[in-house]
Amino acid sequence: MPSVIYDIKVKIFKAMQRLSVGFYSSKQTGSLMDRVMRDANNIYWFFVDGIPGIITEMTTVIGVLIMMFLMNAKLSLLVLFLAPVVFVLLFFGEKLFRNMHHKTWVYHAKVSSMVSDNIAGQREIKAFAKEDEEYDRFSKVSGDYKDAELKLALTEATVFPLAEVAILLLTVIVLGIGSMMVAKGESGMSTGTLLSYIVYLQMLTEPFDFLAWVSNWWSRCADSAQRVFEIVDAPAEITEKEDAVELRDFQGNIEITDLDFEYEPARPIIKAFNLKIRAGEMLGIVGKTGAGKSTIANLIARLYDPKKGSIRLDGIDLRDIRFDALRRNIGLVSQDIYLFMGSIADNIRYAKPDATMDEVIAAAKAASAHDFIMKLPDAYETYVGSGGQKLSGGEKQRISIARTIIQDPKILILDEATAAMDTETERNIQNSLSALKTGRTTLAIAHRLSTLRDADQLAVIEEGTLIEYGTFAELIEKKGAFYKLYEIQNEALKAAGILTDAASAADEDPEEE
Amino acid sequence: MNTNDITPNSLKTQYVTPSDCHFYQEKAGFLGAEIRGERHDRVILKRALPFQSPERYICITDVEKNELGIIEDVAAFSEEQQALIRGELSLRYFCPVITDILSIKEKMGHFYFDVKVGESKKSFTVKDISKNIRSHGKNVDITDIDGNRFRITDFDAIGAKSRRKLEPYIY
Ligand SMILES: Nc1ncnc2c1ncn2[C@@H]1O[C@H](COP(=O)(O)OP(=O)(O)O)[C@@H](O)[C@H]1O
Ligand SMILES: [Mg+2]
């Protein structure tokens, strides 16, 4: 139905496809897509709901103010004068008031009951000439009321509706002054007038609530619009050449030649890097955190372009290959998984939207994801991504592995693909991963070096350069950098008591988005 | 697809067919099933695609949530078996059917629904409508903030007034 929103989204998605990951990561978001969806919705609903709402609520406010002036101009002037003061006070004292919210309510109840007692018993008060006494009583209670406001001790943090409390304060003031006016018998002020005056005042709560909320909404909306324009207008960094080619009869050879890369100018991350991975082989990449392992993985997936040098697939430069060919042939299971806003099933068949449900379930099973998916109330139709069901890092990784199984790419990049899983799940999934690796060129980055035993070759990286290369056995024999890393890890594992895994706790707590 | 033979059974999909799976009503009223010669006196049925395909891909588990098999299509079973399966599913997926929408009011991101379920009136609140109001074919499924489900079985069949009220919230 909402074609506007559809247009906005299509525009954004088109624009997003032109952009590199560099853009996304510089906007520090793994969930840009989610936000875009929300931004587009935000803008749309603001126009559909917000604008008409503002008009009706403003009309209410004006109408009510007119009524109030007609009833009692003096009191209304006071309200008009006090309203901004109260709002400003509340705005700056929000925290304070939030804490006081509960106590103020209690005192408010007391004050109003006293005032209404007073109004109801007005004849008696007058008859017994007790005005001054009542006046004192009221001052006392409203004094307590003020104390309640100022006392910071109360920690109850309820949601603080600014407008409601503002109106509440105004009501108390009006009740106080109004009842005194009534008690003193001022002209044009009767019990009935005061009561209906209060009713009108209360009628302002909703519009003010709405307006306060809408102004907040508007600022979010302006933000959204800005982000949307940023994306639509951003120049593409990674572009597809006009004459880009298909990958025909693709084998899966990767060749990296004299590669230099930097995220920011003058801070080289990868330096003069050379590496060859033959089709069908598995290469393990090893190195300390920050060595540049993920960067190399991302470069091979052409999430970034090299600064110098080249990466070739079967002899063809990445920059000469069509985007859809890359997307089909390179599968990346990365450290930080990003799920799209949509159902789990959609996420799994993302690379192949026409995959059957049989395939989706089979892939989820192979990735050890099926069981946890079936425990969710909506199973495969559970919404994930921002605003959706929260999943733990390990669960996201399993969905991502299922996604890659369906994608069936020639080149598989596993960047610490099981890092967020508990040991048991990891063990279960190893079989699927081994199955996944056969017949593909695999690039595996793993923290636990023992998991790289079956790699055909290992590359050790330090500060963006290749420092060692060879088979597991060769590198152990060599007693170089790899041997040292291996020793350190074994020691640590022994110290922690046979192969316990620091990651085992990681699977349980859902990540905050 | 690459699910080679080294994949253990627990990671494979096991579909059940009328020939290797028979449902029966257990004395206590639970649904039992004999699957590949093994009797399970209490099984639980769960839909893999509750909205899109409520009659396909039904996972059968025991009470410990261990999967015993998956029904690919309920229609493959005999009438009598289908009735047992549907009976169990309707217990698990209890869902009042909305026949009329009286009003939808929006305040602070919450949507307050007043609807009619048959002859009785019902009110509930929905948040995040883009996620909690879903349409599949003629069905519209609504999940309220407490996780309760409501369904409109035929969006075209409810009155034009009702339709107009809900239309803006369906994508
Ligand atoms: N998007 C980015 N922008 C700027 N610097 C980055 C970015 N991503 C990674 N880096 C830097 O590049 C270096 C290598 O990072 P990375 O390839 O993630 O290492 P590894 O995967 O080996 O731990 C680190 O110093 C890191 O801080
Ligand atoms: Mg990394």
Side-chain angles (χ1 to χ4, degrees):
Chain A
M1 155 266 170
S3 67
V4 189
I5 200 162
Y6 181 77
D7 287 348
I8 298 176
K9 280 181 190 164
V10 167
K11 249 207 158 77
I12 295 167
F13 284 131
K14 280 221 180 99
M16 280 173 71
Q17 279 167 2
R18 289 188 290 110
L19 300 170
S20 71
V21 173
F23 175 85
Y24 302 132
S25 52
S26 74
K27 297 284 170 295
Q28 33 104 15
T29 166
S31 55
L32 188 82
M33 184 97 80
D34 300 357
R35 270 220 329 241
V36 162
M37 304 280 284
R38 255 209 300 216
D39 287 344
N41 280 334
N42 238 341
I43 295 167
Y44 173 76
W45 286 112
F46 189 78
F47 282 98
V48 170
D49 268 11
I51 303 280
I54 292 175
I55 294 166
T56 40
E57 300 295 1
M58 282 308 279
T59 318
T60 313
V61 170
I62 291 164
V64 166
L65 283 179
I66 290 173
M67 283 311 293
M68 283 165 63
F69 265 94
L70 288 177
M71 288 170 77
N72 191 311
K74 204 163 129 194
L75 211 47
S76 303
L77 276 175
L78 185 78
V79 168
L80 268 194
F81 169 75
L82 280 177
V85 178
V86 167
F87 266 102
V88 167
L89 273 178
L90 283 176
F91 186 77
F92 287 106
E94 191 183 322
K95 212 176 148 168
L96 179 95
F97 281 104
R98 198 193 299 272
N99 289 335
M100 292 296 102
H101 188 46
H102 181 73
K103 231 173 198 177
T104 6
W105 262 109
V106 173
Y107 277 106
H108 164 70
K110 254 193 203 168
V111 172
S112 348
S113 73
M114 196 168 295
V115 173
S116 67
D117 269 351
N118 233 334
I119 292 173
Q122 214 193 12
R123 206 170 303 134
E124 280 80 357
I125 297 168
K126 283 219 161 153
F128 295 104
K130 280 204 171 163
E131 277 109 320
D132 288 341
E133 233 179 279
E134 278 307 311
Y135 182 92
D136 287 342
R137 202 153 75 104
F138 180 78
S139 316
K140 164 92 179 52
V141 179
S142 58
D144 288 349
Y145 184 69
K146 205 175 82 216
D147 288 346
E149 278 176 50
L150 296 174
K151 225 191 240 162
L152 274 161
L154 202 74
T155 47
E156 186 175 74
T158 45
V159 183
F160 178 73
L162 182 72
E164 254 160 62
V165 177
I167 298 288
L168 196 80
L169 280 174
L170 285 174
T171 306
V172 170
I173 294 166
V174 168
L175 270 172
I177 293 169
S179 64
M180 276 185 271
M181 286 164 94
V182 174
K184 298 216 155 102
E186 272 194 35
S187 67
M189 187 47 105
S190 70
T191 312
T193 317
L194 180 57
L195 277 180
S196 28
Y197 191 89
I198 297 287
V199 171
Y200 275 110
L201 188 59
Q202 295 282 350
M203 275 171 70
L204 288 177
T205 311
E206 205 168 318
F208 274 122
D209 245 355
F210 181 81
L211 292 175
W213 177 62
V214 125
S215 72
N216 179 308
W217 192 10
W218 168 245
S219 64
R220 269 186 298 143
C221 208
D223 256 18
S224 295
Q226 196 198 335
R227 276 198 298 266
V228 168
F229 288 133
E230 228 176 281
I231 292 166
V232 174
D233 297 339
E237 292 158 59
I238 302 269
T239 50
E240 187 177 31
K241 278 195 187 163
E242 291 270 332
D243 54 352
V245 297
E246 252 302 322
L247 283 173
R248 280 185 212 294
D249 241 345
F250 183 51
Q251 299 300 305
N253 291 292
I254 305 172
E255 191 177 355
I256 303 176
T257 322
D258 296 328
L259 183 72
D260 281 358
F261 178 76
E262 58 193 25
Y263 288 104
E264 298 147 15
R267 218 192 120 216
I269 301 289
I270 304 294
K271 298 158 226 164
F273 196 87
N274 286 286
L275 190 67
K276 235 184 196 169
I277 313 168
R278 268 197 300 274
E281 272 193 357
M282 172 174 166
L283 175 88
I285 296 187
V286 176
K288 298 195 188 94
T289 303
K293 306 182 295 291
S294 299
T295 305
I296 289 175
N298 293 341
L299 283 163
I300 293 175
R302 206 186 168 200
L303 301 186
Y304 303 94
D305 275 340
K307 185 187 170 216
K308 226 187 94 215
S310 69
I311 298 173
R312 286 166 206 278
L313 302 184
D314 280 7
I316 309 170
D317 194 299
L318 275 183
R319 287 163 289 200
D320 296 330
I321 301 169
R322 285 174 49 161
F323 277 178
D324 57 349
L326 289 179
R327 224 169 288 141
R328 230 179 18 252
N329 287 296
I330 301 178
L332 174 65
V333 180
S334 69
Q335 269 169 306
D336 22 51
I337 304 293
Y338 165 54
L339 297 180
F340 302 90
M341 196 156 90
S343 72
I344 289 181
D346 291 340
N347 266 281
I348 292 178
R349 60 175 161 235
Y350 181 74
K352 189 183 168 195
D354 59 346
T356 65
M357 198 53 202
D358 289 357
E359 288 177 272
V360 171
I361 292 178
K365 285 223 164 203
S368 268
H370 174 79
D371 285 349
F372 89 76
I373 294 171
M374 282 312 297
K375 280 182 188 137
L376 300 170
D378 293 341
Y380 282 85
E381 283 181 279
T382 303
Y383 262 49
V384 290
S386 95
Q389 174 78 34
K390 299 249 186 290
L391 298 174
S392 74
E395 287 167 345
K396 286 196 218 168
Q397 281 189 325
R398 280 178 272 168
I399 288 179
S400 158
I401 289 171
R403 185 194 282 169
T404 313
I405 290 173
I406 293 235
Q407 182 191 2
D408 193 15
K410 269 279 177 218
I411 294 174
L412 178 66
I413 302 170
L414 303 171
D415 185 359
E416 307 197 14
T418 56
M421 289 176 208
D422 59 81
T423 348
E424 199 195 324
T425 313
E426 189 180 1
R427 210 173 306 129
N428 280 337
I429 225 169
Q430 277 312 331
N431 289 316
S432 305
L433 285 182
S434 321
L436 195 56
K437 286 171 195 161
T438 47
R440 293 168 218 277
T441 311
T442 306
L443 196 101
I445 300 168
H447 230 77
R448 214 143 351 111
L449 302 180
S450 53
T451 59
L452 295 177
R453 245 174 223 287
D454 54 343
D456 297 294
Q457 301 288 337
L458 289 172
V460 184
I461 298 180
E462 208 173 281
E463 288 180 19
T465 50
L466 182 71
I467 56 164
E468 264 179 32
Y469 183 83
T471 64
F472 197 93
E474 280 168 12
L475 293 184
I476 293 287
E477 188 119 328
K478 196 175 166 195
K479 293 214 179 342
F482 181 76
Y483 180 76
K484 232 181 269 164
L485 279 172
Y486 190 66
E487 282 290 281
I488 290 169
Q489 211 168 71
N490 272 348
E491 289 298 314
L493 289 175
K494 263 179 225 150
I498 3 152
L499 300 176
T500 44
D501 197 331
S504 58
D507 203 35
E508 293 317 311
D509 55 331
E511 248 167 54
E512 284 304 308
E513 298 276 332
Chain B
M1 285 302 306
N2 196 308
T3 35
N4 287 6
D5 287 327
I6 47 167
T7 313
N9 270 348
S10 68
L11 302 184
K12 276 189 188 159
T13 323
Q14 309 257 336
Y15 288 108
V16 297
T17 59
S19 63
D20 61 14
C21 171
H22 182 81
F23 293 97
Y24 56 89
Q25 193 88 52
E26 212 267 331
K27 280 172 219 83
F30 296 125
L31 183 73
E34 191 174 323
I35 299 171
R36 289 178 216 94
E38 224 177 288
R39 266 179 84 92
H40 303 272
D41 274 345
R42 187 166 180 199
V43 296
I44 289 164
L45 301 183
K46 202 155 177 227
R47 291 173 169 141
L49 299 171
F51 303 109
Q52 201 184 308
S53 315
E55 296 257 296
R56 301 195 66 202
Y57 303 104
I58 315 285
C59 294
I60 312 166
T61 65
D62 61 18
V63 266
E64 262 91 54
K65 303 263 170 81
N66 299 309
E67 192 165 289
L68 306 168
I70 299 177
I71 301 169
E72 193 174 358
D73 194 348
V74 178
F77 285 77
S78 72
E79 295 276 316
E80 173 260 341
Q81 290 281 293
Q82 285 188 26
L84 283 174
I85 296 168
R86 291 208 184 96
E88 180 70 18
L89 285 174
S90 68
L91 284 181
R92 167 170 267 277
Y93 293 91
F94 172 73
C95 172
V97 173
I98 294 173
T99 44
D100 219 343
I101 293 168
L102 302 173
S103 74
I104 302 174
K105 289 202 190 84
E106 199 276 320
K107 201 184 165 199
M108 313 283 275
H110 288 66
F111 294 78
Y112 299 92
F113 279 70
D114 282 317
V115 302
K116 271 179 109 170
V117 174
E119 286 310 301
S120 55
K121 280 188 190 171
K122 187 109 188 73
S123 302
F124 55 89
T125 309
V126 181
K127 245 181 92 171
D128 298 328
I129 49 158
S130 62
K131 192 179 85 200
N132 288 320
I133 300 182
R134 301 193 188 185
S135 64
H136 292 282
K138 289 184 164 187
N139 282 348
V140 179
D141 288 288
I142 304 172
T143 311
D144 78 359
I145 47 172
D146 302 317
N148 302 314
R149 287 286 152 81
F150 300 89
R151 164 167 286 186
I152 296 164
T153 42
D154 185 350
F155 189 57
D156 299 325
I158 61 170
K161 268 191 193 155
S162 293
R163 215 162 41 236
R164 212 167 308 130
K165 282 175 200 136
L166 190 60
E167 226 155 30
Y169 307 114
I170 296 176
Y171 300 61

